[in-house]
């Protein structure tokens, strides 16, 4: 089958309802199997023959399994992050948090310590470190991954090894941030967190591809979805310095409560790609 027919085959076989999602997923599958972008099809003259392995992927996808878990990775900020079932699939909305933190951070530091609280695949901390090092290659960076899931922590470290190579010192901290003591050997210069924030009662209302496959522990933010933010607000003083740059992601319609929970800090808010207020940055000494 030539590449044009191959792309048409993927597109027509996928049963994804949303047409934009279908286009994006067909393009991803095409790229996965050919190593080429579907946008290049007019100038490509290759053929694809291993239809059985594509059919397997499409069958699983049509059974509702997210493509990121089937293929085992997801692109975030232009880099592929490997995933296992313990990792939330990185969302492009989270890129907004990183982008704004990178605009705010001091670029001339000789050493920085980054804490990625509730790290999952490590996409936030790793991306921040990878981008920071482009602007400041001589900076010594230490990146701490903090999560309750050992499998997620393992994946964070694996992603860090692949993406950051040996440019950054990375450390895993297995920790239940709700119940364990916030007791670290050092304070951080950059605090990033995207904790679980879906109200427990809303989990069942999520799309099947999310609620049936993504780890519940990565989604459930307690009765009103905000328990992790209250814990962070209560303890953040123990892990940051006065000028530490902090960034948090939160859920839809949580902005007002986030403002209240972090009322002793001056928060700057940012919208995601769908114009939903999605994240905030602050420094402890600003108000
Ligand atoms: C919303 S996911 C975010 C993952 C990643 N930072 C991202 O943005 O893709 C939340 C993460 O919090 C972790 N988590 C849940 N409860 C926790 C707890 N009590 N202590 C520490 N981490 C927890 C989950 O394992 C999950 O990896």
């Amino acid at each position: 089958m030539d590449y044009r027919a191959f792309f048409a085959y993927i597109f027509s076989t996928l049963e994804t309802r949303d047409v934009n999602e279908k286009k994006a997923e067909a393009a991803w599958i095409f790229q996965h199997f050919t190593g080429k972008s579907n946008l290049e099809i007019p100038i490509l003259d290759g053929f694809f023959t291993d239809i059985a392995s594509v059919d397997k992927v499409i069958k699983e996808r049509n059974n509702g399994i997210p493509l990121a878990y089937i293929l085992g990775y997801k692109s975030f900020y232009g880099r592929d992050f490997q995933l296992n079932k313990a990792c939330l699939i990185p969302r492009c909305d989270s890129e907004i948090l990183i982008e704004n933190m990178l605009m705010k951070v001091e670029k001339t530091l000789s050493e920085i310590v980054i804490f990625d609280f509730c790290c999952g695949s490590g996409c936030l901390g790793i991306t921040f470190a990878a981008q920071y090092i482009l602007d400041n290659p001589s900076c010594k960076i230490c990146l701490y991954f903090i999560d309750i899931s050992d499998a997620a922590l393992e994946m964070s470290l694996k992603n860090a090894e692949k993406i950051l190579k040996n440019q950054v010192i990375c450390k895993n901290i297995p920790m239940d941030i709700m119940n364990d003591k916030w007791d670290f050997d050092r304070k951080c210069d950059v605090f990033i967190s995207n904790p679980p924030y879906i109200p427990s009662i809303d989990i069942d209302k999520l799309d099947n591809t999310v609620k049936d496959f993504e780890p519940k522990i990565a989604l459930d933010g307690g009765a009103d979805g905000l328990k992790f933010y209250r814990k962070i607000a209560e303890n953040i003083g123990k892990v940051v310095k006065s000028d530490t740059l902090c960034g948090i992601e939160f859920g839809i319609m949580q902005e007002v409560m986030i403002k209240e929970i972090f009322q002793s800090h001056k928060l700057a808010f940012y919208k995601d790609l769908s114009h939903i207020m999605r994240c905030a940055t602050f420094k402890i000494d600003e108000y």
Side-chain angles (χ1 to χ4, degrees):
M1 189 179 296
D2 71 25
Y3 279 165
R4 187 181 294 269
F6 179 46
F7 184 75
Y9 176 78
I10 299 168
F11 191 80
S12 61
T13 322
L14 270 178
E15 288 167 9
T16 323
R17 271 166 294 156
D18 180 275
V19 72
N20 288 326
E21 193 182 354
K22 187 166 168 162
K23 275 185 197 159
E25 294 202 340
W28 183 2
I29 295 172
F30 182 83
Q31 175 127 29
H32 178 83
F33 282 100
T34 64
K36 310 277 182 202
S37 160
N38 63 307
L39 301 175
E40 293 175 61
I41 286 175
I43 54 160
L44 294 175
D45 55 3
F47 282 83
F48 189 80
T49 50
D50 184 11
I51 298 299
S53 44
V54 180
D55 282 345
K56 187 169 173 284
V57 167
I58 293 178
K59 187 173 172 209
E60 287 184 297
R61 180 67 191 107
N62 289 345
N63 284 335
I65 305 174
L67 198 48
Y69 290 138
I70 301 168
L71 300 180
Y73 64 93
K74 177 82 202 297
S75 170
F76 182 82
Y77 221 100
R79 299 177 183 89
D80 285 344
F81 283 79
Q82 283 187 59
L83 303 173
N84 57 29
K85 298 273 161 63
C87 300
L88 186 92
I89 300 169
R91 307 293 204 268
C92 55
D93 291 330
S94 308
E95 294 172 344
I96 305 288
L97 174 62
I98 299 305
E99 198 166 274
N100 283 289
M101 291 186 76
L102 286 164
M103 280 196 266
K104 296 221 149 178
V105 72
E106 167 70 65
K107 292 277 166 48
T108 54
L109 301 169
S110 58
E111 186 173 355
I112 57 169
V113 177
I114 305 167
F115 284 180
D116 183 349
F117 263 68
C118 300
C119 62
S121 63
C123 60
L124 301 185
I126 292 171
T127 302
F128 186 93
Q131 291 300 119
Y132 190 88
I133 227 161
L134 292 177
D135 285 333
N136 185 355
S138 61
C139 181
K140 185 176 166 222
I141 303 183
C142 289
L143 171 57
Y144 283 43
F145 297 115
I146 297 116
D147 205 287
I148 198 168
S149 159
D150 289 336
L153 285 169
E154 221 171 89
M155 195 45 83
S156 279
L157 220 46
K158 213 167 170 188
N159 280 320
E161 270 163 26
K162 195 185 97 203
I163 293 167
L164 300 170
K165 312 248 169 354
N166 52 3
Q167 291 175 293
V168 170
I169 298 165
C170 297
K171 191 170 171 179
N172 272 352
I173 313 276
M175 174 178 167
D176 172 355
I177 71 163
M178 294 302 295
N179 296 301
D180 293 345
K181 253 186 152 176
W182 286 43
D183 190 12
F184 289 82
D185 56 2
R186 61 208 300 192
K187 294 195 169 193
C188 63
D189 305 286
V190 176
F191 176 97
I192 308 172
S193 188
N194 177 21
Y197 55 62
I198 309 290
S200 308
I201 200 168
D202 290 343
I203 303 265
D204 269 350
K205 298 180 207 153
L206 294 171
D207 196 86
N208 286 356
T209 55
V210 178
K211 73 166 190 257
D212 294 346
F213 297 99
E214 302 217 47
K216 187 157 181 275
I217 200 175
L219 302 169
D220 194 342
D224 63 357
L226 296 161
K227 72 173 186 183
F228 286 93
Y229 302 99
R230 293 194 185 89
K231 188 55 83 175
I232 290 171
E234 182 190 324
N235 286 292
I236 195 164
K238 296 176 188 162
V239 299
V240 299
K241 306 170 192 168
S242 61
D243 61 348
T244 295
L245 175 65
C246 307
I248 50 168
E249 181 175 329
F250 51 83
I252 187 165
M253 314 260 277
Q254 290 178 336
E255 176 199 356
V256 173
M257 283 308 295
I258 290 288
K259 225 180 244 175
E260 196 177 312
I261 293 168
F262 291 93
Q263 57 182 279
S264 48
H265 310 295
K266 187 176 170 193
L267 270 61
F269 285 90
Y270 311 96
K271 290 181 178 166
D272 67 17
L273 301 171
S274 316
H275 285 267
I276 291 166
M277 210 54 98
R278 178 63 66 184
C279 54
T281 60
F282 59 96
K283 285 189 179 182
I284 299 289
D285 66 356
E286 278 178 357
Y287 220 122

